[in-house]
Amino acid sequence: MRTGIFLNYAGGFLEAVDEVVELEKIGVDIALVAEAYSYDAISQLGFLAAKTSRIELATGVVPIYIRTPTLLAMTAAGLDYVSDGRFRLGIGTSGPQVMEGFHGVPFDAPLGRTREVVDICRQVWRRERVKYDGKYYQVPLPADKGTGLGKPLQLINHPVRDRIPITIAALGPKNVELTAEIAEGWQPVFFQPDKADDVWGDSLRAGFAKRDPDLGPLDIMVSAPLAIGDDVDDRLAWAKPQLALYIGGMGARGKNFYHNLATSYGYGDVANHLQDLYLDGKKAEAIEAVPDELVRNVSLVGPRGFIKERIAAYAEAGVTTLLLQPLSGDRHESMRYVEELQSLLP
């Protein structure tokens, strides 16, 4: 099982870079930069590439709606070049609240668009003249939709790799099935290992049945808040704002993927309560209402023995990469948590 680190898109980036440099020295395998309604992930990853030499770098994730497929491919190839082949493209759809509310673009056809984006990216990286006649993307643009002057082009540069790994953030059954079919990696959020097969097992198996063997095994990359010790229960509260925001506030009633996930874990009443509070503007009360049990089930917070049991549960659920989010304001303590977790890995 690999270890990774998730950079907080709302935190101090320069300080986080210094931490990544230290984490690279102790053997952390991958660093991810998220992108929401924040600084973009790409510029920060270019900076990280210059400051590191071994650790894999990834978007975790960039939304597919706000960049053309060819721009995503160009950007990934550029980051793979400046990092000397260390980049992984993490993509996702985000949700209507961010896409429509912040970017002003429609949130439509997530499955179809994701498949076509992946197809086009791989054409670009193989330096083919891009010719794609999809339902959602047509390259070149047909004459009846443009000037008629567009001709198939290939990437001028020769990429470091002709297939950059793609990770897809997916939660819904059909999205997860598609990910298991076409991607090198899957990045679910708020992953509860003992519930994973009930929620996603059928979708994963259906996707694997159609998977090209050349893709290799699916890298299941799971984020987990981290604090190790006999007296770290207070850190559970540190993870509650994110859960409250996503379950309660990331979408309207009936259109919140994270609310649906919490419900599938058996927290339907809690999810409804959090959503009522958050959408009524009672954010502090929503945070307070997140149960400790829910946080503990989707994190690595507790004594060494408990953490070791949880690692085994993640492994049993098929997790291959743990993306750690140390719950600490002190860099030395964060580093200690990560090193201690590494010592517990099988």
Side-chain angles (χ1 to χ4, degrees), residues 42-333:
I42 307 307
S43 58
Q44 298 180 66
L45 282 161
F47 188 79
L48 267 174
K51 293 288 187 177
T52 57
S53 59
R54 182 199 59 80
I55 195 169
E56 187 178 11
L57 304 173
T59 49
V61 299
V62 291
I64 61 172
Y65 291 101
I66 56 174
R67 297 173 176 89
T68 65
T70 43
L71 177 57
L72 276 169
M74 292 162 60
T75 300
L79 284 170
D80 207 43
Y81 171 70
V82 298
S83 66
D84 196 23
R86 292 186 286 132
F87 179 67
R88 172 185 288 258
L89 178 62
I91 59 174
T93 59
S94 186
Q97 182 159 357
V98 177
M99 291 304 98
E100 297 176 7
F102 189 66
H103 292 287
V105 297
F107 183 88
D108 66 342
L111 284 172
R113 288 188 182 276
T114 299
R115 183 183 290 275
E116 293 187 11
V117 164
V118 171
D119 287 344
I120 294 169
C121 281
R122 288 175 174 157
Q123 277 194 27
V124 173
W125 298 331
R126 292 192 299 265
R127 294 196 75 243
E128 298 173 4
R129 292 191 180 276
V130 182
K131 297 175 69 175
Y132 196 84
D133 186 22
K135 182 176 181 180
Y136 306 102
Y137 301 101
Q138 296 87 44
V139 187
L141 195 67
D144 62 345
K145 294 185 179 182
T147 64
L149 298 176
K151 304 296 180 185
L153 299 172
Q154 67 183 155
L155 188 68
I156 293 172
N157 313 85
H158 289 259
V160 174
R161 293 180 288 175
D162 62 7
R163 198 179 78 198
I164 295 168
I166 293 176
T167 293
I168 299 176
L171 290 179
K174 290 298 182 183
N175 305 65
V176 172
E177 180 179 337
L178 177 68
T179 299
E181 178 189 350
I182 68 171
E184 282 89 356
W186 171 42
Q187 189 183 322
V189 70
F190 306 138
F191 188 90
Q192 185 172 335
D194 55 301
K195 297 282 188 178
D197 190 66
D198 294 337
V199 176
W200 293 302
D202 289 343
S203 297
L204 289 169
R205 286 183 282 272
F208 289 148
K210 297 175 283 185
R211 185 178 180 82
D212 183 344
D214 288 345
L215 287 171
L218 184 69
D219 188 2
I220 300 179
M221 305 171 66
V222 172
S223 58
L226 173 69
I228 303 177
D230 295 327
D231 56 352
V232 294
D233 274 5
D234 62 306
R235 304 298 170 90
L236 294 171
W238 293 36
K240 291 184 179 183
Q242 186 184 36
L243 282 161
L245 168 62
Y246 278 74
I247 296 171
M250 278 293 186
R253 289 178 175 84
K255 293 184 178 181
N256 182 319
F257 311 128
Y258 313 100
H259 179 285
N260 295 344
L261 178 60
T263 300
S264 70
Y265 285 161
Y267 291 97
D269 291 341
V270 169
N272 289 338
H273 184 49
L274 293 178
Q275 192 169 62
D276 288 341
L277 291 171
Y278 217 97
L279 296 182
D280 286 343
K282 300 175 181 177
K283 297 179 182 179
E285 292 179 40
I287 293 168
E288 183 66 27
V290 175
D292 285 356
E293 179 189 47
L294 173 57
V295 182
R296 201 182 300 278
N297 285 341
V298 297
S299 65
L300 290 162
V301 177
R304 282 178 60 92
F306 173 78
I307 299 301
K308 191 167 186 177
E309 291 175 4
R310 295 299 290 168
I311 290 171
Y314 279 106
E316 178 68 22
V319 174
T320 47
T321 302
L322 280 174
L323 304 173
L324 307 171
Q325 298 170 292
L327 299 174
S328 177
D330 179 80
R331 183 188 300 177
H332 299 294
E333 185 177 57

